[in-house]
Amino acid sequence: MTLSKLSTSTVSALRATCAGLLVAALAACSGAPKLKPEELPANPATLGVSQAWSVKMPAVSFPLRAAVSGDRVTVAASDGTVVAIDARQGRELWRTQVGAPLSAGVGSDGQLAAVVTRNNELVAIEAGKVIWKERLPAETFTPPLVAGRRVFVQTADRTTAAFDGQSGRRLWQQSRAGADSLVLRKPGVLLPFGDTLVTGIGARLVGMNPANGNSRWEVPVASPRGTNDVERLVDLTGTVSRVGDSICARAYYAAVGCVDAQRGTLAWTQPAVGSEGVSGDDTLVYGVESNGTVQAWRRADGQRAWTMERLRLRNLTAPLAVGRTLVIGEDTGTVHFLSRQDGAVLNRLVPDGSAVAAAPTVAADTVVIVTRNGGVFGYRPD
């Protein structure tokens, strides 16, 4: 069968798979021996952190993003288990099984939750019951967005679509012509901003009309470079930081930048070599580089505020800015609590010994950590 005869979903799947394989192959063929990180010094434990609760679910091996709405956090396991938790007490509100392994999730507005299966089905859940399923045209790695009684999705072929939250009826679909031939098998950007749907399409942050998908503005955070498709991969990826009109995002292995979403203009962009998303507050934007360096940029102008290299060569999650701390997970299972002021180590802990599976999040003043073994832990820093 020739490529031209393949279905849209198959082509998209091949493109996404090729991207992951090619990037991995380039890293493997670099020829340089893998350096080991230095041993961690004694834990200073200058910040008190107490475990408030824990919940167990099956293992997590897909790119999970926990969904927070008020005091509720919704998480999912690779086998299709979805769990809603009251983050104040760690009490399960409901638990369900969607019947297939997952490729993306979770999206939730506190009432309706949505995930995507490896069979390319968008699944909506209400009060612990599956209320509808809809087939998507391609693989999806970005968690659905549930907002305004609608469910928004972006597939790997950069098609954005909206569905009615109660019936699952497709409301509109917008495809981007001339998109790059390869895409990343990583979660992208999809969030609400007032009456605008903000999504990442390639290296651009795009503001769309949620009623019909028409573009209102487009801002490049980075420019594709290189001579082949792999080198030109600069998709926006991972968590973003929104404070007021400012939305800051990472372009894969290219840059970190901030956009004025009210005006649809670029505030600044700075070169940055990393693949995980960013976090921030009204003063700083925080991210981790591919070599384990933790970096802070000034939100106003993008100038470097501080750099912390004590976690160099470690595989880290995107950071979470909460209170006076920056919380970062690691594939060794360690969770690091750093000072937001200068990156100084304040404390660290190991929830269950397995790798941290998702960027830390916060609900009800509780830091929520999810591990590969399916542990969901709630911690409260002093």
Side-chain angles (χ1 to χ4, degrees):
M1 182 182 293
T2 63
L3 187 62
S4 61
K5 294 180 180 178
L6 294 176
S7 66
T8 300
S9 60
T10 304
V11 172
S12 300
L14 286 172
R15 287 174 174 175
T17 301
C18 286
L21 291 175
L22 285 171
V23 171
L26 287 175
C29 295
S30 64
K34 185 176 180 180
L35 300 176
K36 293 184 178 181
E38 295 182 359
E39 292 292 329
L40 293 171
N43 184 7
T46 55
L47 172 75
V49 181
S50 59
Q51 181 178 320
W53 50 262
S54 66
V55 171
K56 190 71 173 70
M57 64 178 184
V60 180
S61 59
F62 77 107
L64 170 69
R65 188 178 297 168
V68 174
S69 180
D71 293 341
R72 176 177 299 197
V73 59
T74 308
V75 294
S78 296
D79 72 343
T81 299
V82 185
V83 185
I85 303 168
D86 181 342
R88 292 171 299 181
Q89 304 171 3
R91 178 173 58 91
E92 282 192 30
L93 301 173
W94 53 258
R95 176 183 291 236
T96 194
Q97 168 59 244
V98 303
L102 301 183
S103 66
V106 180
S108 178
D109 64 357
Q111 300 298 318
L112 186 70
V115 295
V116 181
T117 72
R118 293 182 194 168
N119 298 326
N120 300 347
E121 277 193 322
L122 173 64
V123 183
I125 306 161
E126 190 170 50
K129 297 181 179 180
V130 174
I131 60 173
W132 54 261
K133 297 181 180 181
E134 285 293 326
R135 178 71 61 178
L136 299 174
E139 287 186 289
T140 303
F141 308 108
T142 301
L145 170 66
V146 182
R149 293 176 292 183
R150 298 179 180 185
V151 180
F152 301 92
V153 296
Q154 186 180 67
T155 54
D157 61 357
R158 297 184 177 89
T159 294
T160 307
F163 298 81
D164 180 86
Q166 289 303 307
S167 68
R169 179 174 62 92
R170 191 188 301 268
L171 302 174
W172 54 261
Q173 177 174 302
Q174 292 283 1
S175 298
R176 180 55 60 104
D180 294 338
S181 59
L182 297 181
V183 294
L184 294 170
R185 300 180 68 91
K186 291 178 69 65
V189 174
L190 195 61
L191 75 154
F193 174 79
D195 64 349
T196 297
L197 172 67
V198 178
T199 185
I201 300 178
R204 293 175 174 267
L205 204 61
V206 179
M208 307 174 76
N209 183 339
N212 53 29
N214 290 340
S215 177
R216 289 175 170 168
W217 49 260
E218 299 189 14
V219 181
V221 175
S223 299
R225 297 188 299 270
T227 58
N228 58 58
D229 288 338
V230 175
E231 293 175 345
R232 292 172 62 84
L233 278 172
V234 288
D235 287 0
L236 302 186
T237 182
T239 55
V240 302
S241 172
R242 179 196 166 186
V243 176
D245 295 340
S246 171
I247 298 178
C248 303
R250 180 184 291 278
Y252 181 77
Y253 275 78
V256 167
C258 290
V259 169
D260 184 326
Q262 187 64 42
R263 299 179 179 179
T265 58
L266 180 67
W268 56 266
T269 183
Q270 292 286 359
V273 182
S275 61
E276 302 300 326
V278 298
S279 185
D281 50 39
D282 57 355
T283 303
L284 299 175
V285 177
Y286 310 94
V288 297
E289 301 297 88
S290 60
N291 64 358
T293 298
V294 184
Q295 180 70 59
W297 299 268
R298 293 197 315 223
R299 193 177 202 102
D301 56 16
Q303 294 302 305
R304 184 175 300 179
W306 54 258
T307 299
M308 195 277 273
E309 298 188 346
R310 295 179 184 175
L311 303 180
R312 274 181 56 84
L313 306 180
R314 296 180 180 274
N315 294 319
L316 306 175
T317 68
L320 167 70
V322 56
R324 62 187 181 96
T325 64
L326 201 61
V327 187
I328 300 174
E330 188 182 342
D331 67 351
T332 61
T334 303
V335 180
H336 303 271
F337 291 78
L338 312 178
S339 166
R340 281 164 60 177
Q341 183 177 3
D342 56 11
V345 178
L346 303 177
N347 205 338
R348 63 175 176 267
L349 50 86
V350 180
D352 65 7
S354 67
V356 179
T361 190
V362 61
D365 298 322
T366 303
V367 174
V368 180
I369 302 293
V370 182
T371 69
R372 292 287 183 205
N373 284 349
V376 187
F377 298 86
Y379 293 98
R380 297 200 175 111
D382 290 345

